[in-house]
Amino acid sequence: MISHGQLLTALTSSALFRTYARAYSETTGMPIALRPVETWQLPFHGKHKENTWCALMSEQSRTCASCLQVQEKLAKASSNGPATVICAYGLCETAVPVKLGPLTIGFLQTGQVLREKPTTASFQRALAKVEELGVSLPTAEAQEAYFSTPVASQRKLSSVADLLTIFAEHLSMKSNQIAMLRANAEHPIIARAKDYVREHHSEELSLSRVAGSAHVSIYYFCKLFRKVTGTTLTTFVSRTRVEKAKNLLINPNLRISEIAYNVGFQSITHFNRVFKSVTGESPTRYRERLPISASRNSVTKMSLKA
């Protein structure tokens, strides 16, 4: 099975991510990165639109270590949803989780901005924090870097979190597609069965029916499916239906009960239980986290893809 590291590499090299990242940075003036859950590297180092002050901090081991502690704090804060933290120098960073089913495989992150216009007093406080770490900076260079830091209001930071949340959902769908494609490539029988499930996900799918679509016995199919995928057919069917449901939940005009039956669940109770086991949250909570304006703009396109 594909590892989380391999998934993140595939996502960051995809045309989807590269196009979005370029457009995002040019529009907001802020860097963006897709980082692993655990990392010993600063996510924006060397990236387009990296903050000059932050780049200066990354050059010293003690200040770099302090910045890495902020990254660890942000990862913990954003494990279940968007979060913003402020570093010792007053700069903000925001992150949202990117998931594969219920598992967080990485974080979509942006920031390196001040919430208020830099002043001489705020610069002196930042410089004092650096000196507390035993680091001496060229004052003129440090001042120029600090005062060139972009400023973002709380309203802008909230909008940025909404944008990241929407894109993180797209990346989650993309990661699921990549994982499924990699699994499919491992065995033609499993590939046929999975294609069949995706095409008939809204119908009743018995083990004998899916095994028959792959032209093998039930016993052989069960053994092979678990060996190749590491899971059961029932789990795969549930995840497939949940991914379809996530696409439909973007449409605010569809009732959750409608969506449940449309994707193949026979009861709303079963749908709610399976959805939460796969994603870690209820369908209602998932829909509430989606920005309404973005949902309405995306509904036609996303419904067609579903």
Side-chain angles (χ1 to χ4, degrees):
M1 296 177 67
I2 187 171
S3 68
H4 292 175
Q6 290 173 322
L7 266 179
L8 289 181
T9 298
L11 288 173
T12 53
S13 61
S14 68
L16 171 69
F17 180 81
R18 287 186 282 108
T19 300
Y20 181 91
R22 181 171 58 253
Y24 174 90
S25 291
E26 291 301 329
T27 301
T28 65
M30 299 161 64
I32 187 170
L34 180 57
R35 52 154 287 194
V37 173
E38 296 181 359
T39 181
W40 295 103
Q41 297 180 341
L42 296 175
F44 302 125
H45 189 54
K47 293 285 194 302
H48 184 49
K49 300 293 182 179
E50 179 186 11
N51 182 284
T52 308
W53 169 267
C54 296
L56 194 60
M57 294 301 100
S58 68
E59 294 176 358
Q60 304 288 334
S61 60
R62 292 184 180 180
T63 48
C64 181
S66 176
C67 293
L68 286 172
Q69 290 176 357
V70 173
Q71 299 305 313
E72 183 178 0
K73 180 180 178 181
L74 181 57
K76 291 180 180 178
S78 60
S79 60
N80 294 315
T84 298
V85 300
I86 305 173
C87 75
Y89 315 116
L91 281 74
C92 296
E93 291 193 15
T94 299
V96 300
V98 176
K99 294 180 174 290
L100 178 64
L103 301 176
T104 297
I105 61 173
F107 297 97
L108 195 59
Q109 191 167 325
T110 191
Q112 296 190 330
V113 295
L114 291 167
R115 290 187 299 177
E116 298 178 351
K117 187 177 180 179
T119 63
T120 300
S122 65
F123 170 64
Q124 292 299 329
R125 287 194 296 271
L127 205 58
K129 290 293 183 181
V130 174
E131 291 174 353
E132 286 178 11
L133 296 173
V135 175
S136 179
L137 297 175
T139 304
E141 182 182 357
Q143 183 171 345
E144 181 180 357
Y146 184 82
F147 277 87
S148 67
T149 296
V151 178
S153 65
Q154 184 58 51
R155 183 176 180 179
K156 181 175 180 177
L157 288 174
S158 296
S159 296
V160 160
D162 287 345
L163 288 174
L164 292 186
T165 299
I166 295 168
F167 188 49
E169 294 298 338
H170 283 273
L171 290 177
S172 293
M173 294 177 192
K174 182 73 172 178
S175 66
N176 187 67
Q177 292 171 2
I178 292 172
M180 293 172 78
L181 285 172
R182 293 289 180 91
N184 284 345
E186 292 176 344
H187 202 290
I189 289 177
I190 303 304
R192 285 198 298 271
K194 287 186 173 183
D195 285 341
Y196 187 84
V197 169
R198 282 189 286 268
E199 291 172 8
H200 300 273
H201 69 276
S202 61
E203 305 168 17
E204 184 177 350
L205 290 173
S206 65
L207 180 58
S208 60
R209 181 178 174 183
V210 178
S213 73
H215 308 297
V216 293
S217 69
I218 295 176
Y219 174 78
Y220 177 72
F221 178 78
C222 286
K223 188 176 181 180
L224 181 64
F225 195 91
R226 180 176 284 278
K227 178 181 178 181
V228 172
T229 67
T231 189
T232 64
L233 176 67
T234 300
T235 299
F236 176 76
V237 171
S238 295
R239 288 179 177 174
T240 300
R241 287 171 172 166
V242 167
E243 288 303 319
K244 298 291 183 181
K246 286 166 69 176
N247 281 340
L248 295 176
L249 282 166
I250 295 175
N251 186 342
N253 298 317
L254 289 176
R255 296 193 303 273
I256 290 179
S257 57
E258 285 183 85
I259 294 171
Y261 293 116
N262 284 344
V263 299
F265 289 94
Q266 299 304 307
S267 75
I268 187 65
T269 302
H270 185 216
F271 171 63
N272 287 334
R273 184 169 61 251
V274 172
F275 192 98
K276 187 170 185 178
S277 71
V278 172
T279 67
E281 59 187 347
S282 68
T284 301
R285 175 56 183 156
Y286 176 86
R287 172 174 269 176
E288 287 173 350
R289 290 196 301 101
L290 296 173
I292 295 176
S293 59
S295 299
R296 289 175 177 169
N297 292 334
S298 302
V299 62
T300 302
K301 179 170 68 175
M302 295 305 295
S303 295
L304 287 174
K305 287 184 178 180

